[in-house]
Amino acid sequence: MREVKKTLAFMLRVAWREKPALFVSYLILFAGDTVAAMKNVLIPKLLLDELLLVTEGAPLSEHLRLIVLYAVLHVAIDALVRAANSVAERAKGEISQWFQEYCDMMIGEHAMKMDYEHTENPDALDQLNKAREGMSWYSGGVVGVLDCAYRIVLNVAVLSGVTTLIFTRCPLLLPIQAAALVVISWLTARCNEIETRSFIGLSKRNRIFDYIFFQLASFQYGKDIRLYDSSRMMGDMAKTQLDEMTDIWKGEANGQLRYRWGIDIANVVRDGVSYFYIGMLAVRRVISVGDFTMCVLSATQLYNSLQNIINSVMDMKKRCSYACQFVLFLEYPAAMRTGERSLADTGGGGHVITFRDVSFRYPRSEKYVLRHLNLTIRQGEHLSIVGLNGAGKTTFIKLLCRLYEVTEGEICIDGVNIMEYADEEYRKLFAVVFQDFRLFAFSLRENVAPGLEDVDEERLREVLTQTGLYEDAQKLPDGLDTVIYKSFEEKGVELSGGQQQKTAISRALYRDAPIVILDEPTAALDPVAEYEIYRQFHTLVGGKTAIYISHRLSSCRFCDHIAVFAEDTVKEYGTHDELVAHEGGIYAEMFRAQAQYYVD
Ligand code: ADP
C-alpha cells in the first residue's frame, strides 16, 4: 500500500507540474463515460415502457414523440461521447508518449549525477535497471498509473448510480453480485500473483537479452565480436534465454488455468441466480418489463463496475510496484555526505591539499588499498606519483576528486575537510584525465569544450596546438566538427589511441581548473611524444597545481616533488635528484632500470 501511495503521489505531482492538460483529458473522459454508462441502463427502460404501453393499446400519437426522443437521445449521446472521448484519448496518448521520453531522461540524468561510487554498486545498478523496466510497458509509465486511478474514480461514480437504481427496484440483487464478486476477485488475485512471480523471473532474462542484442551489438564491441567469432555464441546464449523465458510463460499459463476456470463457473452461477430473481419479480408484476430490463442491465453494469474497481485496484498495485522502482531510483540514497561550504579563493588559482593519515578500502571490500597516508601538495606545486601497478595511485586521485569517501583519516583543502565543500563548486577545482577516460560520440570540438556554448576558439586552437592535435584535426573531413565514432554519424571517425589521448588531455587543458591531474594518460603515446606532451604541459599548466601519474620516470624530472607509492602508502618522497641519490631506494632502482631505454 505504501508503494501505491508513494508512486501515485509522485505521478500526480509530476503530471500536474509538467502536463496539467492531462487532467482536462481525464475530465472529458469522465463526463462522457459516466453519461454513457447511465444512458445505457436508463434509456432502454424508458423506451421499452413506452413501447409496451402502445402494444397494450395506448394511442401511438400520444407516445410517438417520447419514443423518438429516447431513440434520438440514445444515438446522439453515443455519438457525442465517442467524439469527445476520441479527442481526449488522442491527447492523452500524446502526453503518455511524452512522459515515456521524459522519464527516460530523468533516469539518464539521475544516473549521470549519482555518486560515482554507485556506478560500481551492484544494488544501485540493479535499481537503475528496475527503474528502466518498471517505467516501460510493465507499468505504462505516468499515464499507465494514472489511468488506473481514473478507472477507479469512474467506476465508483457509475457504481453509485446503478446501486441507487437497483436499490429502488430489486435490492436483493446487490448481495448476489457482491458475493460473486468476492469469489471472482479472490481467483483473479491468484492469477495476478502468478503473473508477478513470472515478472521477477523474466526480469533477469530480459536484461541478458538486452545486453546481447543492444549493448553487444554496438560498434564498441564490433572488433572483438568479429575477430573472436562470438556472434554464434551470442545467438546460442540468446536461444537458451528464450527457451527459459518460454518455460516461464508456460508455467504462468498452466498455473493460472484452474483459477480462470473457477472465474468462468462463478460468472455462470451469478448470472443464473440474478436472472431467476429479477424474472420472478417481473412475473409477479412487482416490477414492469422496462424495470426488468433496467435491473438486468444495472446488474451487469454493477458487476462490471465492481469488477473494474477491484481489477483497477489490483492493476494499480501491480503497476505501482513496477513504477515505484523508478521513484526509488530517483530517491537512491547518496553514498557520500557533502557540505555547503564554498572554496575561498586563495588568490593564485591553486589550493593547499593535505592528506592526513588517510586509510581507504573500496566499498564491499575488506582489503585496505591505502594505509596511513600523509602528504601535502602546496599551491602551484607539480607532483609526480610513481609506483607499481596496483599501488593505489589512481585510488589516491579518486579520493582527492571525492569520487569515494576515505575510510579513515581526512583529506583537507585549505585546512577544511573536502566533504564539507559544496559538490558543484568542488568539482570545478579539477581537470582530470583518467587512464580509462571516455570520449563522447560528438564532434571533436564538443569533446574538448564540452557543454560550453561560447567556445573560446583562440584558446581551443592554442590547447590543440600544445597537445599536437591541431594538425591532425585539420586533416579530418570536417576539421574540428568531425564527429568521433559512428554511433550517430555515418561519417564519424575512429581516432587512433594516441589521438584519443591527446583529445582527453586537450579537454583537461581547455577546462581552466586550478588543479590539473594526469593519470597515466600517455600510455598510448611513444616515449618521444610523451616527453613532448609533458614538457609542453608543464609550461601550459604553469602556476597551477598539477599531479602526474606516470610509469615513465623521464617525465618526473619536470616535477617539484615525486611521491613513490608502495606498500599501501607513500614510501619515498622528494625531488628527482634526491630520490635518485637515495641508494637502494625504490625510485632509484626504477629509474636505473628505465634509463637504459632512453640513452640517446
Ligand atoms: P594503480 O593506479 O597504482 O595501478 P589502483 O589505485 O588502480 O592502482 O588500484 C589499487 C588497488 O585497488 C588494486 O589492488 C585494485 O585491484 C584495487 N581496486 C581498484 N579499483 C577498485 C574498485 N573499484 N573496487 C575494488 N578494488 C579496486
Side-chain angles (χ1 to χ4, degrees), residues 73-99:
L73 260 181
H74 194 58
V75 177
I77 291 176
D78 252 354
L80 254 173
V81 168
R82 271 172 206 270
N85 278 11
S86 78
V87 172
E89 282 290 354
R90 231 188 73 192
K92 189 158 74 76
E94 275 168 22
I95 292 174
S96 171
Q97 200 59 43
W98 185 89
F99 269 121

Side-chain angles (χ1 to χ4, degrees), residues 362-417:
Y362 278 96
R364 296 169 297 283
S365 162
E366 292 298 313
K367 184 177 159 279
Y368 274 88
V369 175
L370 296 173
R371 278 176 213 268
H372 306 296
L373 189 148
N374 287 289
L375 189 68
T376 299
I377 306 167
R378 288 189 330 273
Q379 179 177 313
E381 180 175 339
H382 290 196
L383 174 77
S384 186
I385 299 180
V386 298
L388 297 177
N389 266 339
K393 305 182 294 294
T394 303
T395 306
F396 173 85
I397 301 300
K398 286 185 192 163
L399 288 177
L400 175 61
C401 295
R402 223 168 63 171
L403 295 180
Y404 292 93
E405 199 171 333
V406 298
T407 315
E408 286 147 37
E410 63 173 355
I411 304 170
C412 295
I413 287 194
D414 301 336
V416 176
N417 190 314

Side-chain angles (χ1 to χ4, degrees), residues 519-536:
D519 179 0
E520 253 181 304
T522 48
L525 301 177
D526 59 69
V528 178
E530 172 179 338
Y531 183 84
E532 266 314 295
I533 283 202
Y534 272 94
R535 202 172 57 79
Q536 287 181 352

